[in-house]
């Protein structure tokens, strides 16, 4: 079981570095993948879970949301409200507050390896989110964006082939 001890040592060291730089919980869901995507795109990573995932270091008011999936999956926004109207607007604000949305596809076999990243305008994503919420039979839904949708509605800004 020596490998487990070594993994724990490395994660502990990574957490020390993260804490020194304002990230008190490196194992917060999604944070490591956000760091991987931000490193590729040259973005800063938000320290507050309730803020957009990343920002432009030259202009921190320019914020970005990251959605990710494995190569056989779909991008998803969890817990989006169809109703009541105030909660719906609050949910849609998770999209509209951003300068851009980035959809990153990770390799399943190597979960920290990015295959490709697509840049989506908030306007395009809002149209699809509204369509899905209107069609939903539930007041709270997870809404999904297929990889094909991202390719058709966005611009590929990164490929691990390049």
């Amino acid at each position: 079981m020596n490998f487990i001890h070594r993994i724990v040592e490395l994660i502990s060291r990574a957490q020390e570095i993260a804490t020194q730089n304002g990230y008190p919980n490196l194992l917060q869901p999604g944070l490591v993948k956000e760091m991987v995507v931000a490193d590729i795109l040259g973005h800063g990573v938000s320290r507050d879970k309730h803020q957009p995932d990343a920002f432009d270091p030259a202009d921190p008011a320019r914020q970005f949301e990251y959605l990710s999936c494995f190569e056989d999956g779909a991008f998803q926004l969890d817990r989006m409200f169809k109703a009541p109207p105030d909660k719906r607007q609050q949910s849609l604000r998770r999209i509209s507050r951003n300068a851009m949305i980035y959809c990153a596809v990770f390799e399943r076999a190597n979960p920290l390896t990015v295959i490709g990243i697509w840049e989506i305008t908030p306007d395009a994503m809002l149209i699809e989110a509204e369509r899905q919420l209107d069609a939903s039979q539930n007041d709270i839904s997870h809404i999904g964006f297929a990889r094909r949708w991202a390719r058709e509605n966005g611009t590929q800004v990164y490929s691990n082939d390049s």
Side-chain angles (χ1 to χ4, degrees):
M1 294 286 190
N2 189 33
F3 74 93
I4 292 175
H5 181 74
R6 182 71 178 133
I7 290 170
V8 171
E9 282 180 341
L10 292 169
I11 293 171
S12 294
R13 179 63 185 130
Q15 181 58 65
E16 288 175 23
I17 295 167
T19 299
Q20 292 167 0
N21 289 281
Y23 299 95
N25 182 7
L26 183 62
L27 300 180
Q28 170 186 308
L31 181 58
V32 172
K33 284 188 174 181
E34 291 166 8
M35 289 178 165
V36 170
V37 173
D39 186 51
I40 290 169
L41 298 175
H43 296 160
V45 177
S46 297
R47 288 169 172 82
D48 183 347
K49 182 179 169 134
H50 301 291
Q51 293 297 314
D53 296 326
F55 59 90
D56 181 343
D59 180 3
R62 282 183 36 89
Q63 300 176 326
F64 312 110
E65 191 70 22
Y66 295 160
L67 302 179
S68 66
C69 68
F70 287 118
E71 56 220 292
D72 55 351
F75 309 106
Q76 184 171 290
L77 284 167
D78 295 343
R79 296 192 45 80
M80 296 290 286
F81 283 80
K82 175 180 182 170
D86 62 322
K87 289 201 177 233
R88 180 180 176 125
Q89 287 309 309
Q90 185 177 356
S91 290
L92 293 172
R93 177 94 178 103
R94 291 172 50 198
I95 298 169
S96 64
R97 69 186 175 185
N98 298 289
M100 210 57 73
I101 313 287
Y102 292 91
C103 295
V105 178
F106 286 81
E107 283 185 10
R108 183 169 293 282
N110 299 299
L112 296 180
T113 299
V114 176
I115 296 170
I117 302 173
W118 285 263
E119 182 179 74
I120 314 287
T121 66
D123 288 343
M125 190 160 278
L126 277 169
I127 290 167
E128 179 61 13
E130 293 258 26
R131 185 194 70 73
Q132 288 188 40
L133 288 174
D134 289 343
S136 176
Q137 295 180 5
N138 302 313
D139 284 345
I140 304 173
S141 301
H142 298 323
I143 57 175
F145 303 87
R147 289 180 58 201
R148 179 178 176 182
W149 181 90
R151 284 192 307 270
E152 292 173 354
N153 290 275
T155 302
Q156 189 167 13
V157 294
Y158 173 82
S159 171
N160 68 355
D161 293 337
S162 55

